[in-house]
Amino acid sequence: QVQLQVSGPGLVKPSQSLSLTCTVSGGSITTNDYYWTWIRQPPGKGMEWIGYIAYSGSTYYGPSLKSHTAISRDTSRNQFTLQLSSVTPEDTAVYYCARWRGDIQAYNSWGQGTQVTDSS
């Protein structure tokens, strides 16, 4: 059974960078047709799709965040990382990592979610 675990700071200073890591167990992040995705939910709002890194290593970002978002991976550790530069109060949210399976067109595995708050 694949499991995803998020780690990283819960409090970020304004203008600094946010870095969150999702560690995957029970499956490989290089498995064909899987997309490793970051999603967040700001307070009082719905889910916001951030972007993904695919099984191939290619990345794709949501248009509202792509200017200061980077997703990378470490295949030796079976991890993928979200980096968000120049953090503002608008970036305060609960952040999730998830697996989207292209073969069945569904998210079928989620991390626990972690609260990230801009210190300002």
Side-chain angles (χ1 to χ4, degrees):
Q1 185 75 263
V2 66
Q3 295 183 340
L4 286 72
Q5 178 68 46
V6 178
S7 62
L11 188 66
V12 182
K13 295 179 179 179
S15 78
Q16 299 299 305
S17 295
L18 167 68
S19 182
L20 296 173
T21 296
C22 186
T23 300
V24 178
S25 61
S28 174
I29 62 173
T30 63
T31 298
N32 183 59
D33 214 21
Y34 289 1
Y35 298 80
W36 304 93
T37 306
W38 288 100
I39 303 164
R40 70 182 183 182
Q41 185 173 29
K45 299 182 180 180
M47 293 289 190
E48 180 182 20
W49 187 83
I50 299 172
Y52 68 70
I53 185 162
Y55 62 97
S56 62
S58 63
T59 56
Y60 192 86
Y61 305 108
S64 64
L65 295 170
K66 64 181 180 180
S67 62
H68 59 286
T69 302
I71 300 174
S72 59
R73 68 179 183 175
D74 183 343
T75 57
S76 67
R77 294 181 178 271
N78 216 37
Q79 297 175 330
F80 62 107
T81 297
L82 171 68
Q83 293 179 301
L84 191 66
S85 64
S86 301
V87 172
T88 70
E90 286 69 39
D91 295 311
T92 295
V94 176
Y95 285 75
Y96 300 89
C97 57
R99 179 180 70 176
W100 188 76
R101 287 184 56 175
D103 56 344
I104 62 173
Q105 300 185 68
Y107 295 102
N108 72 338
S109 187
W110 291 78
Q112 80 280 10
T114 186
Q115 174 69 50
V116 175
T117 303
D118 189 295
S119 63
S120 65

